[in-house]
Amino acid sequence: MGTTGSVDRRSLLKAAGASLATLGLTAAGCGSGSGSGGGTVTIRYAWWGADDRAKKINQTIALFEKKYPKIKVKTDFQPYADFWTKFQTQASGGNPPDVFQNAIGFLRKYNDKHVLLDLNAQVKAGNLSMDGFRAGLDAFGEVDGKLLGIPVGSNSMSLVIDKDAYRRAGITPKLGWTWDDYYAGLKKIHDGQHIAGDTGPMGIMYVYDLVLRQAGKAFFTEKDLGFTEADLTEWWNKGFEGVKSGIYADPKKVEQIKPKAGLSDGLSAGEFTWDNFSVRYTAEGKGNYGLAPIPSTDGKTTGQYLGSLMLSGSARTKHPKEVAQFINFMVHEPAVAKIMGYDRGVPSTTAQFDAFKPSDTVAQGISAYETQIATAGVLQTITPHPAGADTCEAAFLRIANDVSLGTSSVDKGVKQFFSEAKTALGT
């Protein structure tokens, strides 16, 4: 889910499999003891992000070390793609960090390779509390009865719009609006203001997942794709027709202005993204931006869920107790939320959500949006993605882009995607 910030999702790398023998568990990693012998211990903490996130995280670590003077934290951070390249190397060598930032697309992958620590034992031991999480996020990191990740912040898919463009077109998106309303609005914006109504969602895996969920399906099951070639053919044909009609932005122009977004460059009046990514548009563009609800097929079921960055522990750590205490501090301590703000999404626990009250209008809009969809009761649960999901997402974006540019036909693109997905998922 929304885990990479403004990083181009095509930077997702194909991760090579590692043997179970290489990634096997050690006895120390399975227990609930600290292995510290009563002295000071050091745990390694790694995450992805830029310098600004690192500065904030280092401030929170200073608070943690003050509360737990016998636990020292050694840090490491990389850009998103570089992080997973390094992590794969560390995991393959049997030396992953003790605790690290994680995302739902990697839970099954690294659980299958016995890399992730089941934190249930630490909950039972009282070193980690799963109380006080918002909107069902306490179960977000569960896979097959194992507790493999603890959410640090939440996000959900949204439609970011240029509010002035929508106002000029006389369109007011509200909860309950349909895809028919959405497409009619895009045409009205295009015809009246000579800009695309949307940058184009055909390559955004998480938008298509919502469309599928609204039809009782999903992008992924526990082990495979949850849709057919006919489903994807229909989706990409609709997208390609949108490009030709002008309601979606010209893909060639979108490519030319990257890494800037089509919306913030004025190529379109809206685009789908994770709600916490919406901060980029104010920084990049000059428009009056806001969050609009996800359209639905029936005016009721949006298929939405709260996604989240998570903190996971290594199954090989010699200090599972200290890892659990560190995670517990980072998700429950109010002072951490005051430092981090919405850097990793809206705080996942009520204690941290209540502790940080955003003063800027963008963050206030994100908070209001998540409160609105939670109150409306549209949120559902999500099945953790199968191993290979990250490779599938990269392929989906790349091939959809080829289709939208006209360098590949819809039929050829669909067959290519399913072929690559089956290889990635081992099906």
Side-chain angles (χ1 to χ4, degrees), residues 1-3 134-135 137 140 153-160 175 206-207 210 213 271-278 291-294 302-309 344-346 365-374 378-380 382:
M1 41 238 64
T3 59
R134 298 172 42 244
L137 282 170
F140 189 74
S154 68
N155 52 24
S156 190
M157 285 302 297
S158 66
L159 175 61
V160 184
L175 278 172
Y206 294 99
V207 175
L210 295 186
R213 289 164 67 86
E271 60 186 51
F272 291 92
T273 190
W274 297 104
D275 57 17
N276 63 311
F277 289 1
S278 61
L291 297 178
I294 297 294
T302 66
Q304 283 174 274
Y305 49 85
L306 289 186
S308 180
L309 289 178
R344 296 177 298 193
V346 179
I366 296 170
S367 177
Y369 177 75
E370 290 204 7
T371 299
Q372 179 189 48
I373 59 177
V378 300
L379 295 174
Q380 301 176 353
I382 181 173

Side-chain angles (χ1 to χ4, degrees), residues 265-288:
D265 195 66
L267 295 178
S268 72
E271 60 186 51
F272 291 92
T273 190
W274 297 104
D275 57 17
N276 63 311
F277 289 1
S278 61
V279 296
R280 73 175 293 190
Y281 300 100
T282 299
E284 289 181 350
K286 299 179 181 180
N288 179 22

